[in-house]
């Protein structure tokens, strides 16, 4: 489940509730505000990672809210509007929005755009802290937090066994280095390797099932045939 907080600001209660249901089903924490003033107050009080913002609202409209958000925060903003003209989209994006959807919209498409924006945002943030945060390992869509042993792929937690975690950490802390099955076994299990031991192969398959998009065609944990396994940056 995701720990991301998403703020929906829309004066149409039915739309805000509908968006909230779809995002909650994906594991996001959803906060709702029904006007611009409420939305800005929540942004001050809560740790928000993304805002879904309606343009046409009474009081402070969405464009002004977007402008004020951009003065203080760099979080992604997806704008919603009943207007479909290209100029309206240009204006919205010009005020600092990252994406724009026209009402009525497909909630599943909105969820997909939310995921896309969060991936970009987290990737940029990770890249900015790569050199200073020694307790985090980031390779492609994989993140390993060595402090709490939390592993995420595409920003979603992956539940690994202690042995699977040790194997992954070994490979990830030596990017580009090829480890034989014997080396992996002796470093992880701290026992002498013996011939015809398929333990590493079985654990590697289970590990790939959890961290790869397609474990049959692994893109993260590569097999170097006749030698062993490696992870490349």
């Amino acid at each position: 489940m995701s720990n991301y907080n998403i703020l929906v600001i829309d004066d149409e209660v039915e739309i805000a509730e509908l968006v909230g249901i779809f995002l909650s089903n994906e594991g996001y924490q959803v906060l709702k505000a029904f006007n611009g003033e409420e939305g800005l107050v929540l942004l001050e009080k809560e740790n928000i990672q993304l805002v879904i913002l309606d343009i046409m609202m009474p009081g402070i409209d969405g464009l002004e809210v977007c402008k004020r958000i951009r003065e203080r925060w760099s979080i992604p903003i997806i704008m919603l509007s009943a207007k479909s003209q290209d100029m309206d989209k240009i204006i919205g994006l010009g005020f600092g929005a990252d994406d724009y959807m026209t009402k009525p919209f497909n909630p599943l498409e909105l969820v997909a755009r939310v995921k896309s924006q969060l991936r970009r945002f987290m990737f940029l943030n990770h890249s900015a802290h790569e050199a200073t945060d020694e307790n985090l390992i980031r390779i492609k869509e994989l993140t390993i937090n060595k402090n709490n042993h939390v592993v995420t792929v595409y920003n979603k937690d992956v539940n690994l066994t202690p042995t699977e975690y040790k194997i992954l950490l070994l490979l990830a802390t030596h990017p580009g280095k090829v480890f034989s099955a014997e080396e992996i076994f002796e470093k992880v299990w701290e026992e002498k390797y013996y011939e015809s031991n398929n333990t590493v192969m079985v654990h590697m398959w289970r590990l790939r099932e959890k961290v790869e998009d397609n474990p049959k065609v692994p893109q993260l944990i590569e097999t170097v045939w006749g030698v062993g396994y490696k992870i490349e940056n």
Side-chain angles (χ1 to χ4, degrees):
M1 299 292 280
S2 171
N3 292 320
Y4 297 136
N5 295 324
I6 298 176
L7 175 59
V8 180
I9 309 175
D10 197 319
D11 63 318
E12 295 185 65
V13 177
E14 295 83 359
I15 290 181
E17 295 293 344
L18 177 66
V19 171
I21 290 171
F22 275 83
L23 291 173
S24 296
N25 287 341
E26 292 295 321
Y28 298 113
Q29 306 299 314
V30 181
L31 296 87
K32 304 182 199 71
F34 303 108
N35 59 58
E37 292 90 341
E38 288 181 8
L40 291 170
V41 169
L42 282 173
L43 277 161
E44 291 282 356
K45 295 168 60 176
E46 305 289 344
N47 181 24
I48 305 296
Q49 280 75 49
L50 182 143
V51 176
I52 297 173
L53 176 61
D54 183 35
I55 291 181
M56 303 297 292
M57 292 187 294
I60 304 176
D61 67 13
L63 293 175
E64 178 62 24
V65 173
C66 183
K67 179 182 176 183
R68 295 190 190 184
I69 292 173
R70 278 292 164 259
E71 289 172 353
R72 299 190 54 189
W73 296 282
S74 61
I75 56 178
I77 300 172
I78 299 177
M79 277 194 161
L80 305 178
S81 176
K83 298 181 178 181
S84 60
Q85 287 82 358
D86 288 340
M87 186 53 65
D88 294 312
K89 296 180 181 180
I90 292 171
I91 292 172
L93 295 173
F95 270 76
D98 298 279
D99 204 350
Y100 185 108
M101 291 191 70
T102 303
K103 296 179 179 179
F105 55 85
N106 184 333
L108 293 176
E109 181 183 353
L110 177 60
V111 170
R113 295 195 187 196
V114 165
K115 291 180 179 180
S116 175
Q117 289 298 330
L118 284 173
R119 278 198 299 269
R120 293 177 191 173
F121 178 63
M122 298 312 296
F123 175 78
L124 290 174
N125 275 2
H126 289 170
S127 297
H129 296 90
E130 194 86 37
T132 59
D133 197 338
E134 297 177 353
N135 294 312
L136 293 179
I137 299 173
R138 298 185 181 92
I139 300 175
K140 299 176 183 176
E141 297 294 345
L142 169 74
T143 300
I144 302 174
N145 187 326
K146 294 192 290 183
N147 278 337
N148 55 18
H149 291 196
V150 171
V151 176
T152 62
V153 176
Y154 292 107
N155 301 316
K156 290 189 175 182
D157 290 352
V158 178
N159 185 23
L160 299 181
T161 67
T163 300
E164 290 164 353
Y165 175 81
K166 288 180 182 178
I167 294 172
L168 183 64
L169 185 63
L170 174 65
L171 296 177
T173 51
H174 300 84
K177 176 176 170 58
V178 182
F179 287 88
S180 67
E182 179 179 352
E183 288 177 303
I184 293 172
F185 185 88
E186 292 183 353
K187 289 180 181 296
V188 171
W189 278 266
E190 299 180 346
E191 296 177 10
K192 187 66 178 176
Y193 183 84
Y194 52 90
E195 282 190 55
S196 302
N197 187 344
N198 294 323
T199 302
V200 171
M201 183 177 67
V202 172
H203 279 79
M204 196 65 70
W205 172 250
R206 290 176 180 169
L207 178 59
R208 280 172 166 165
E209 285 188 311
K210 296 180 179 181
V211 301
E212 298 278 2
D213 287 334
N214 181 358
K216 295 181 180 179
V217 188
Q219 300 298 313
L220 179 64
I221 304 174
E222 301 177 29
T223 297
V224 180
W225 295 110
V227 184
Y229 305 90
K230 69 173 181 175
I231 288 180
E232 288 283 1
N233 267 323

